[in-house]
Amino acid sequence: MRPTVLLTGATAGIGEDIAVKLSEKYDLVLTGRNTEKLSELQPKLSEGCTSYLLPMDLSNLENVEKTLLQFLQENSLNIHKLVHCAGFMKMIPLKLVNNDFMMECFTTNVFSANLLVKLLVNKKNNNSLLDSVVFISSNISNRGAKAMSTYGASKSALDGLMRNLAVELAPKVRFNSVLPGAVLTKMTQNIFDNEEVMSRMQAQYPLGIGYAKDIADAVNFLLSEDARWITGQQMTVDGGRSINISS
C-alpha cells in the first residue's frame, strides 16, 4: 500500500512538477483553488498513483481544518507526508504595504501550514501517521530583496515554524524546508523572456537558471527514508546563487 502525500499549491508551476515526481511512488491528495486546473493535472501523474482532488482556499483559515478533516473522513484517508507548496507572492514596495496584503501573505504562506500540521499530528484525526513534512520556502528568506519585505518575512516565518516543529515533534515527524532560487515555470516565463533580466540572472547563478524539476527532486529526497537523519534544515536549491558573492 502506497503512503499518501498531501500537496498544497499543486497547480502552481513548482507544485505541478512536485506532484508528477511524487506520483511515482506515492498516492496524492492535491489541493488548490482552481478545480479545473487540479483535474488537468491528474492525467500527468504516474499510472500507479491514486489521486484525490481537494479544492481549498488556504487564505480562509476558519475553514482549513474543517475542510481537510471532513475530506479525510469522507474518503477514509490518512496522510503520511505533507508538502506545503501553496504560496502568495507579490512584489510590493514598503510604502504600498497594507494590512490586507500582509494578512493574506502570512495566512497562505505560514498560518495555514501550521494548522494543517496541527490537524495531521492529531491521533484522532490522522492516526498519528504523519512522518515527514517539507515546506517550500524561498532563498529570499535568508537573503532579502527589494519590494519583497512582506513575502520574505513570511518565508522566514515559515522556516522558523519548520525548525520549531522539528524539535517539538521529533522523533516522530521530520520537518525540512526547500529554498528555491529563480526557477523557470509557466508563471515566470514572461520574466525570463526579457533578455536583460535573463542576462543578469545568468551572471548571478553559477549553474544557470533552475527548473521546477530541480525543486521536485529535492522534495522527493527529503520525504524519503534516504533523508531519515535530516530534520530542521533549510535545503537551498538555487544553482549557487546564494554563494555567488559577485552578484
Side-chain angles (χ1 to χ4, degrees):
M1 184 176 180
R2 286 180 163 214
T4 300
V5 178
L6 172 62
L7 171 62
T8 70
T11 57
I14 291 177
E16 181 175 316
D17 273 57
I18 291 174
V20 172
K21 180 64 180 180
L22 296 184
S23 71
E24 296 173 3
K25 61 179 180 180
Y26 300 108
D27 290 337
L28 299 174
V29 175
L30 306 171
T31 79
R33 298 183 183 184
N34 190 316
T35 304
E36 184 178 345
K37 286 186 177 180
L38 286 174
S39 299
E40 291 173 355
L41 175 56
Q42 280 185 305
K44 301 177 184 179
L45 305 178
S46 296
E47 289 186 8
C49 173
T50 300
S51 59
Y52 305 83
L53 304 184
L54 174 55
M56 186 162 60
D57 182 0
L58 294 180
S59 67
N60 187 346
L61 279 185
E62 293 183 0
N63 290 326
V64 166
E65 290 180 278
K66 179 182 177 181
T67 300
L68 177 57
L69 181 57
Q70 182 177 345
F71 178 84
L72 295 179
Q73 292 174 341
E74 289 177 352
N75 291 277
S76 300
L77 279 175
N78 291 122
I79 301 299
H80 302 84
K81 303 175 191 297
L82 167 65
V83 179
H84 182 59
C85 186
F88 177 82
M89 183 192 77
K90 283 186 180 179
M91 296 182 67
I92 301 228
L94 180 60
K95 63 183 179 181
L96 298 180
V97 170
N98 57 42
N99 288 344
D100 289 342
F101 171 70
M102 289 189 293
M103 284 304 300
E104 184 168 6
C105 192
F106 272 80
T107 296
T108 302
N109 296 353
V110 188
F111 302 153
S112 63
N114 203 6
L115 289 180
L116 291 173
V117 173
K118 174 192 168 189
L119 185 147
L120 293 176
V121 297
N122 186 299
K123 183 176 182 179
K124 181 180 178 182
N125 297 336
N126 196 46
N127 291 318
S128 300
L129 290 175
L130 188 72
D131 61 23
S132 185
V133 175
V134 175
F135 294 151
I136 304 301
S137 181
S138 168
N139 66 352
I140 292 174
S141 169
N142 294 330
R143 291 185 59 88
K146 291 182 179 180
M148 288 288 204
S149 59
T150 301
Y151 174 76
S154 74
K155 291 300 187 179
S156 296
L158 183 64
D159 289 332
L161 176 66
M162 175 272 295
R163 284 189 288 265
N164 282 276
L165 291 177
V167 173
E168 181 174 346
L169 297 176
K172 178 60 180 174
V173 190
R174 296 186 300 106
F175 287 82
N176 294 286
S177 294
V178 173
L179 282 59
V183 174
L184 180 60
T185 67
K186 293 177 182 177
M187 295 176 64
T188 61
Q189 181 67 60
N190 62 323
I191 298 175
F192 290 108
D193 284 342
N194 184 304
E195 291 186 8
E196 182 180 346
V197 171
M198 178 58 82
S199 177
R200 186 169 67 249
M201 289 286 191
Q202 293 289 5
Q204 293 173 341
Y205 286 78
L207 297 182
I209 299 304
Y211 298 92
K213 180 183 180 302
D214 298 315
I215 310 306
D217 288 340
V219 171
N220 185 51
F221 166 70
L222 288 172
L223 289 180
S224 74
E225 278 300 302
D226 291 336
R228 58 163 294 276
W229 210 44
I230 301 175
T231 194
Q233 301 303 309
Q234 296 173 305
M235 177 181 283
T236 301
V237 185
D238 69 353
R241 170 68 173 89
S242 56
I243 60 167
N244 189 358
I245 59 175
S246 64
S247 60

